[in-house]
Amino acid sequence: MAEEKLFAGHAVRRIRRAYGLTQGTMAEALAISPSYLNLIERNQRPLTATLLLKLAQSYDFDPRTLTGTTPGGGVEAIRRRLSDPMFADLAVDRAQVEEWIAASPDAAEAFARAFDRLSGGSHGEASVAAGGAQIEPEAIASARREIERWRNHFADLDAQAETLADELRLANADLYGAITERLRVKHQLSIRILPFDVMPDRLRRLDLHARQLQLSELLDPASRTFAAALQLGMLEAKAEIDALVAGASFTERAAERLYRRHLSSYFAAAVMMPYDRFLRACEATGYDIMLLQRRFGAGFEQVAHRLTTLQRVGQRGLPFFMLRIDKAGQSSKRYAGASGSPLVATDRRCPLWHVHNVFARPGTLLPHLVELEDGSRWFTLSRAVHPQTAVSGGVEAEFAICLGLDAKLAAPLASARGMDLKNGTATGIGLGCSACTRPECPQRSAPPTGRVLVFNERERGMSPFNFDQLA
């Protein structure tokens, strides 16, 4: 896949202002014209590799911080926020958003933060909970923003995990056995599987007094391997994780804990599914999730999440997004990755989307071609999963996992073979009834915000809500 151009005018402008330089002074130091620097700062020209190197040499900063730092998450993220019904009468187009971010990046970032806070964190939600810390919506939103800033790809963690996985593989073909032995020899930690009646309220516990990593018998083999790899990562990738957390500069302790746990889990998944081997297996199998599960000894949700992280420079996988929702439609995980999909950003979802049907069809992988009102098509794969936490007579958790990507990129998928992704029949869905303006939808539960309701006592349409088609 072609490399994306790096537009980071706001970051370059911030560096220049931090050093108290005029555009002319900085341009002279970089051996370019002031007019060219002006175009870069306005995001009308990308940063070249040569110029990026000069910036790094002339000013004390990490070039990686220029990647993914677009205010508010970028144009598409700002547009998703503006799709909220409260802005229905404004019709702000993409060009206006691009101009706004280029001209006033800090104002765009301020808008994004204010909107996320006022919306109760619905546009920013982390995938994990911070044990022992009070979780506030802003903390969750902050952690998710940082994850999305990196597009859920952490190159340093991937590289270290890949090296570690190779070492473990040489020591023992059984990954769980190799991790167990490394924890015992290098860190003086043993793994003990405890019965449910001994540890009824925990799946994993580190007992430093006994030097034991205690795992519940409820965990299946894939989950046990993940828990062991998680502990190993917390020990051996601590410096890299600490650096990433420090670089995020969180103001809330809860956000820091959320982000740290995400990074530890990321590392564990990268040990189980090392980047190069995993990507090659994806391409060889047509991203067949069932085959990938068996080949890497991982669970469905673990593989699904790993698919959203394949953004290594020069070795990118397909840009998937992932959602995990419950029967009430609430999301507990969502990763946009590099997909830019509006289906990830909102908690308002369409009941016509097959992600809601998997609860009635356990174990079945449901492919679905959908089309949004803007004409964009998305290919999604959904399946129900049951975490290993249930015992007889207890509550059995159940979630729907949904993977998706732009339909234009879905042709290599084994699950999409034989489908006409471009011209075939796609289900028209919206981003929730209040944001959807499709007329005569029999499934509609509420009228679209910002539209005038039309009443005619002499007739009734397919939908209980008729509304003016003109905004």
Side-chain angles (χ1 to χ4, degrees):
M1 299 176 67
E3 278 297 307
E4 295 180 4
K5 295 179 180 179
L6 176 58
F7 291 90
H10 61 287
V12 174
R13 184 188 298 113
R14 191 167 293 159
I15 292 169
R16 178 173 62 79
R17 289 177 175 173
Y19 279 84
L21 303 175
T22 64
Q23 284 187 337
T25 305
M26 178 179 251
E28 183 178 356
L30 298 175
I32 59 176
S33 68
S35 60
Y36 186 64
L37 178 59
N38 181 263
L39 291 173
I40 289 173
E41 290 193 3
R42 290 162 55 199
N43 281 335
Q44 294 184 12
R45 292 291 185 276
L47 277 175
T48 63
T50 301
L51 190 54
L52 184 60
L53 182 60
K54 286 183 179 179
L55 277 166
Q57 291 173 340
S58 301
Y59 307 99
D60 184 22
F61 81 102
D62 183 348
R64 292 174 298 179
T65 62
L66 293 183
T67 304
T69 59
T70 310
V75 174
E76 291 305 322
I78 294 288
R79 291 187 72 200
R80 288 196 292 269
R81 292 178 176 94
L82 290 171
S83 69
D84 189 278
M86 76 170 78
F87 306 120
D89 62 325
L90 297 180
V92 180
D93 61 24
R94 182 185 181 89
Q96 288 178 284
V97 176
E98 289 174 342
E99 291 173 5
W100 184 27
I101 290 177
S104 305
D106 291 336
E109 176 66 20
F111 161 76
R113 294 184 187 183
F115 181 85
D116 291 347
R117 181 181 287 254
L118 292 173
S119 62
S122 66
H123 286 252
E125 186 172 73
S127 64
V128 287
Q134 183 179 2
I135 302 178
E136 301 294 341
E138 179 56 28
I140 296 173
S142 296
R144 183 172 183 268
R145 275 197 301 268
E146 188 65 14
I147 293 168
E148 296 300 345
R149 186 172 78 87
W150 289 89
R151 293 189 175 183
N152 200 21
H153 173 70
F154 303 91
D156 290 347
L157 291 184
D158 258 313
Q160 184 176 353
E162 202 162 23
T163 300
L164 176 58
D166 288 341
E167 293 177 17
L168 294 170
R169 194 180 184 194
L170 289 174
N172 190 333
D174 173 45
L175 181 60
Y176 178 72
I179 295 175
T180 300
E181 184 66 8
R182 190 174 181 105
L183 284 171
R184 185 185 68 80
V185 173
K186 188 171 182 177
H187 304 286
Q188 294 76 54
L189 281 176
S190 62
I191 295 182
R192 186 178 179 188
I193 308 301
L194 293 181
F196 172 75
D197 56 339
V198 175
M199 194 167 67
D201 58 349
R202 297 287 186 275
L203 295 176
R204 173 179 62 88
R205 179 170 60 199
L206 179 63
D207 187 336
L208 290 175
H209 178 72
R211 302 301 298 174
Q212 286 182 349
L213 174 61
Q214 300 168 346
L215 304 179
S216 170
E217 64 179 347
L218 296 178
L219 295 176
D220 63 14
S223 298
R224 291 183 187 182
T225 302
F226 184 86
L230 178 71
Q231 185 60 59
L232 189 59
M234 292 169 69
L235 294 168
E236 299 200 10
K238 185 177 184 303
E240 289 74 13
I241 292 173
D242 285 348
L244 285 165
V245 172
S249 301
F250 291 116
T251 58
E252 308 100 338
R253 176 65 171 161
E256 179 183 314
R257 297 286 296 276
L258 286 161
Y259 187 51
R260 182 179 296 277
R261 187 177 294 184
H262 175 82
L263 295 174
S264 299
S265 298
Y266 184 102
F267 187 86
V271 169
M272 291 180 66
M273 294 165 276
Y275 195 101
D276 183 67
R277 280 197 285 135
F278 185 72
L279 179 57
R280 283 191 281 113
C282 288
E283 292 172 344
T285 64
Y287 290 80
D288 189 314
I289 301 177
M290 303 305 177
L291 282 177
L292 294 171
Q293 280 185 252
R294 296 186 182 97
R295 188 167 300 183
F296 291 92
F300 182 87
E301 185 174 339
Q302 291 169 348
V303 171
H305 178 214
R306 186 61 170 145
L307 288 172
T308 69
T309 69
L310 303 180
Q311 296 301 312
R312 176 177 286 177
V313 175
Q315 196 181 9
R316 298 185 191 276
L318 293 175
F320 284 95
F321 69 79
M322 174 189 155
L323 285 168
R324 186 177 78 171
I325 65 173
D326 62 19
K327 290 182 178 179
Q330 303 169 114
S331 63
S332 51
K333 287 187 180 182
R334 49 180 165 190
Y335 302 108
S339 70
S341 176
L343 292 167
V344 184
T346 178
D347 268 332
R348 298 183 297 269
R349 275 176 281 277
C350 182
L352 300 179
W353 190 13
H354 285 179
V355 66
H356 304 287
N357 298 354
V358 297
F359 295 111
R361 302 176 64 178
T364 302
L365 185 64
L366 293 184
H368 198 193
L369 182 62
V370 299
E371 183 173 293
L372 298 180
E373 287 190 271
D374 63 4
S376 64
R377 289 188 162 209
W378 301 87
F379 180 76
T380 66
L381 292 167
S382 305
R383 181 187 165 188
V385 297
H386 299 79
Q388 290 78 43
T389 57
V391 294
S392 180
V395 175
E396 183 178 19
E398 188 175 26
F399 298 96
I401 303 295
C402 178
L403 271 171
L405 78 165
D406 190 320
K408 294 192 295 290
L409 305 175
L413 302 186
S415 52
R417 287 172 187 158
M419 296 183 66
D420 185 350
L421 298 168
K422 182 178 181 181
N423 299 310
T425 301
T427 303
I429 66 172
L431 300 176
C433 289
S434 61
C436 178
T437 59
R438 294 185 187 276
E440 297 302 332
C441 175
Q443 186 68 62
R444 180 175 288 282
S445 299
T449 304
R451 296 297 178 92
V452 176
L453 284 174
V454 176
F455 297 94
N456 188 334
E457 302 301 334
R458 297 182 180 182
E459 58 185 47
R460 185 190 187 284
M462 297 294 292
S463 168
F465 301 101
N466 294 321
F467 51 89
D468 192 340
Q469 295 300 309
L470 298 177

